[in-house]
């Protein structure tokens, strides 16, 4: 009994002494500070704050570790700043009364420091260690836009073409490649339709925190469709210890208004973010009203210190009127386009050891669209069904509608040519006419990278995909089971020469197995530590081979599929050895130099690129099939022609970009691209026999496709951009500009009222140059309320990106952003 009492008393004394020791000596907060790729950051200043007052300041040691003593239990924030990095204000840290509370911190690089990229190598890699051409846009740049396609205009080598106003088809061309040659992913989930097409009009900027673009093929990592470039989007995630709720609302001319609400936060090992956005506008043209609603959810969980699980869901639903080319027909069409897209994914990552990292992901997409033309709106033109002569319905019982004409118009091309008249607008058919499409994709991928030596990382990966859908109706249904395998080596020599080399193997159910090799080098001639007037100098070069699979239409209208549908098709296929339609190919190499100046406050880059796009798919008439070498018996079986791998074109040029921080809060960037693109091989009806407008009898015209020796449509030889951001106190602003030169195009008006091509304009330089200037600004009235304004086309320039489709004139919107919670809800 005495021993029990003695033990209780001793325990009480020990506990009391420990408590007194803790009270006398205080507690501490400690951790490790790293950069975005996990390197330790020594010499960083760490401030500990309580109720916005600094209570302790320490410096990290050579291993990036810090230990800061604090007075006792309570709520603290950690602020870390180091040269070359953005100041990090961590989430609130509540000391638990234990001797030490652990908080590790990752710093982000400042505006002119190196970005961390993942698109080129699939692992976080510093920009200076990558030999490929990669550009990153952050949340501030993305937040000033409504659609992602607006932000993509501020990257060298990229051109966007929007067919009309908001909601019109938006196409991306990277270094002269076709608009369906780019892989687009959101949080690792592909957004491409079967065959590579992506409708950028469907991708709102809401809930997107980062855009990363690789200019060049990367089919070795991402499989088919990464033929000209890769665009990676990242969804915002919650980071505040208490929920942060934001509402954004604005309105402007053309009956435009936006409403957005989101909530995000982080609780223990879970982070969450959800957003809903709705945007509406009339666009200022009859039957051009557009609206889009976007819902996004991002949920992350860390089951352990070395693993994470993340779920992503994004849903877009939009509808837009389709007035058609109002400048060419003068009468708006009575048509509508409706799209509904859904993307989802679940990703598990684990850092098994310091050298071994793995990832497993399941994801998919669901794309639905329907184009409906409710009724013809043109002026009916009548003809006798027997004699084909003009007639009037009241006087001729055989009088029927031959077609519908547009209004009388005069059309001016930027190349100085002018035509006048009425074009054939619509044809008699069963109205309403509709064209539905449907695509489902499900995929699973696994990836693992291992640091086999301090300067060598090996990555292996495999992806399996099931895609199915139809274009035009369920009768055109196709299904494919594809896979892609990756082997990649990444490392450096002497911490100066950085290399990435590897290959992918695409196994497509349609065209079989093809390799996709890729390599890149980066050499740092002068390091940042030597920076003076002349800072870091970096040379880079890359080579890659890309591949793109055919679309549903390209497959179902191929020579093979048309023959297979005939009674004697199998015999013709076997006799003449007709194969399935094949993949499109690209081969690219580039080389360039990046130079920093003025103690790292300025950077200039120059890159030369050369692309060869071969085996392109085009629709060829029967005579073109014969010219291509297809036997007459086979060509005759394809009565109207077929899709065939026959096109080839080259695209080479120079990209330049520059960034400079002129003063605290004042940042300027800009770029210019020269593109020399030319069609080298084609067997389309235009290539075989160009059209001649009798008003310009010596000028050959490609009515529907470019001629051999001409430039691909809608790709400007000269383009550029600039941006200037300014932050001072409560005021922020971003001035941007997109500058695009003349482009080749067609007005596609092959028939006038007399079935003659008198309305066709020459292709060369048909689209005029334009300068689209925009301004976004905000003012913080309080810590929770901001007033916002956006102005587009400040010069109110009248221009078209696609000939005949006018872009928006001057537009403005103003509104408010209200934020509650987050860091402003302090724990007392």
């Amino acid at each position: 009994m005495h021993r029990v009492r003695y033990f209780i008393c001793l325990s009480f004394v020990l506990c009391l002494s420990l408590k007194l020791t803790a009270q006398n000596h205080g507690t501490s907060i400690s951790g490790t500070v790293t950069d975005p790729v996990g390197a330790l950051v020594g010499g960083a200043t760490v401030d500990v704050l309580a109720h916005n007052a600094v209570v302790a300041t320490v410096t990290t040691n050579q291993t990036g570790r810090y230990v800061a003593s604090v007075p006792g239990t309570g709520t603290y924030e950690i602020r870390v700043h180091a040269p070359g990095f953005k100041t990090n204000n961590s989430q609130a840290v509540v000391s638990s009364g234990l001797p030490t509370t652990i908080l590790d911190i990752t710093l982000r690089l400042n505006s002119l420091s190196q970005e961390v990229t993942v698109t080129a190598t699939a692992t976080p890699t510093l920009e200076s260690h990558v030999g490929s051409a990669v550009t990153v846009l952050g949340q501030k740049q993305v937040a000033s836009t409504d659609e992602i396609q607006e932000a993509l205009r501020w990257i060298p080598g990229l051109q966007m073409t929007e067919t009309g106003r908001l909601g019109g088809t938006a196409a991306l061309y990277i270094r002269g490649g076709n608009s369906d040659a780019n892989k687009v992913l959101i949080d690792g989930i592909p957004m491409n339709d079967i065959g590579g097409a992506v409708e950028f009009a469907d991708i709102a900027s809401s809930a997107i925190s980062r855009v990363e673009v690789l200019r060049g093929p990367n089919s070795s990592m991402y499989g088919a469709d990464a033929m000209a470039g890769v665009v990676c989007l990242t969804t915002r995630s919650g980071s505040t210890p208490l929920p942060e709720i934001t509402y954004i609302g604005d309105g402007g001319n053309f009956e435009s208004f936006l409403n957005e609400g989101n909530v995000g936060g982080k609780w223990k090992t879970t982070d969450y973010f959800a957003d809903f956005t709705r945007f509406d506008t009339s666009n200022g043209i009859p039957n051009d009203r557009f609206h889009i609603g976007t819902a996004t959810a991002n949920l992350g969980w860390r089951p352990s210190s070395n693993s994470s699980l993340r779920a992503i869901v994004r849903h877009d639903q939009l509808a837009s009127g389709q007035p058609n080319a109002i400048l060419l027909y003068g009468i708006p069409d009575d048509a509508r386009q409706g799209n509904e897209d859904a993307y989802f994914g679940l990703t598990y990552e684990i850092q098994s050891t310091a050298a071994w990292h793995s990832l497993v992901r399941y994801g998919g997409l669901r794309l639905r669209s329907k184009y409906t033309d409710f009724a013809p709106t043109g002026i009916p033109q009548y003809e006798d069904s027997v004699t084909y002569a003009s007639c009037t319905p009241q006087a001729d019982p055989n009088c029927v509608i031959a077609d519908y004409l547009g209004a009388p118009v005069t059309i001016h091309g930027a190349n100085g040519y002018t035509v006048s008249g009425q074009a054939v607008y619509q044809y008699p058919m069963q109205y309403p006419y509709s064209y539905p499409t449907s695509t489902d994709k499900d995929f699973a991928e696994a990836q693992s990278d291992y640091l086999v030596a301090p300067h060598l990382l090996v990555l292996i990966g495999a992806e399996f995909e099931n895609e199915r859908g139809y274009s035009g109706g369920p009768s055109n249904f196709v299904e494919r089971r594809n896979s892609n395998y990756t082997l990649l080596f990444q490392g450096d020599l002497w911490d100066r020469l950085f290399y990435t080399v590897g290959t992918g193997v695409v196994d497509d159910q349609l065209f079989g197995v093809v390799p996709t090799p890729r390599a890149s080098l980066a050499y740092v001639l002068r390091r940042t530590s030597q920076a003076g007037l002349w800072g870091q100098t970096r040379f880079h070069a890359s080579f890659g081979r890309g591949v793109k699979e055919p679309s549903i239409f390209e497959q179902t209208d191929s020579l093979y599929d048309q023959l297979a549908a005939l009674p004697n098709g199998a015999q013709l296929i076997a006799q003449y050895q007709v194969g399935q339609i094949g993949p499109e190919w690209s081969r690219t190499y580039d080389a360039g130099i990046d130079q920093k100046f003025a103690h790292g406050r300025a950077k200039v880059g120059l890159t030369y690129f050369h692309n060869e796009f071969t085996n392109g798919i085009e629709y060829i008439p029967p005579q073109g099939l014969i010219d291509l070498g297809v036997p007459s018996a086979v060509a005759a079986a394809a009565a109207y022609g077929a899709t065939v791998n026959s096109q080839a074109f080259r695209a080479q040029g120079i990209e330049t970009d520059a960034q400079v921080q002129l003063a605290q809060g004042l940042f300027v960037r800009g770029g210019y691209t020269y593109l020399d693109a030319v069609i080298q091989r084609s067997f389309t009806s235009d290539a075989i026999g160009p059209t001649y407008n009798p008003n310009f009898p010596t000028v050959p015209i490609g009515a529907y496709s470019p001629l051999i020796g001409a430039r691909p449509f809608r790709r400007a030889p000269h383009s550029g951009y600039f941006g200037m951001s300014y932050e001072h106190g409560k005021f922020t602003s971003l001035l941007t500009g997109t500058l695009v030169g003349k482009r080749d195009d067609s007005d596609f008006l092959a028939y006038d009222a007399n079935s003659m091509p008198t309305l066709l304009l020459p292709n060369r330089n048909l689209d005029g140059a334009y300068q689209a200037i925009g301004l976004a600004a905000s003012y913080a009235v309080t810590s929770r309320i901001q007033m916002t304004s956006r102005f587009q086309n400040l010069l109110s320039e009248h221009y078209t990106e696609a000939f005949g489709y006018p872009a928006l004139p001057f537009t403005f919107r103003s509104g408010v952003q209200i934020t509650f919670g987050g860091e402003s809800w302090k724990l007392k």
Side-chain angles (χ1 to χ4, degrees), residues 284-306:
I285 292 178
N287 193 37
D288 202 15
R289 183 170 292 278
F290 167 70
H291 74 260
I292 180 171
T294 302
T296 305
N298 181 356
L299 180 64
W301 175 51
R302 298 190 66 90
S304 64
S305 61
N306 66 334

Side-chain angles (χ1 to χ4, degrees), residues 260-282:
E260 178 178 2
N262 59 60
V263 59
K266 187 174 183 178
W267 182 72
K268 294 185 178 180
T269 59
T270 302
D271 64 83
Y272 53 92
F273 179 82
D275 180 280
F276 178 78
T277 304
R278 165 84 183 221
F279 177 76
D280 293 74
T281 182
S282 72

Side-chain angles (χ1 to χ4, degrees), residues 208-230:
I208 302 297
S209 63
R210 175 184 169 101
V211 178
E212 187 173 329
V213 178
L214 168 69
R215 304 186 298 280
N218 198 355
S219 291
S220 60
M221 280 301 311
Y222 301 105
D225 306 332
M227 192 171 75
V230 181

Side-chain angles (χ1 to χ4, degrees), residues 205-270:
S205 300
S206 58
I208 302 297
S209 63
R210 175 184 169 101
V211 178
E212 187 173 329
V213 178
L214 168 69
R215 304 186 298 280
N218 198 355
S219 291
S220 60
M221 280 301 311
Y222 301 105
D225 306 332
M227 192 171 75
V230 181
V231 179
C232 289
L233 311 178
T234 303
T235 302
R236 288 179 58 187
S237 57
S239 60
T240 57
L242 292 172
E244 182 178 78
I245 304 169
T246 301
Y247 167 76
I248 302 172
D250 65 36
N253 57 346
F254 300 119
E255 303 174 48
S256 302
F257 57 89
L258 175 138
N259 286 282
E260 178 178 2
N262 59 60
V263 59
K266 187 174 183 178
W267 182 72
K268 294 185 178 180
T269 59
T270 302

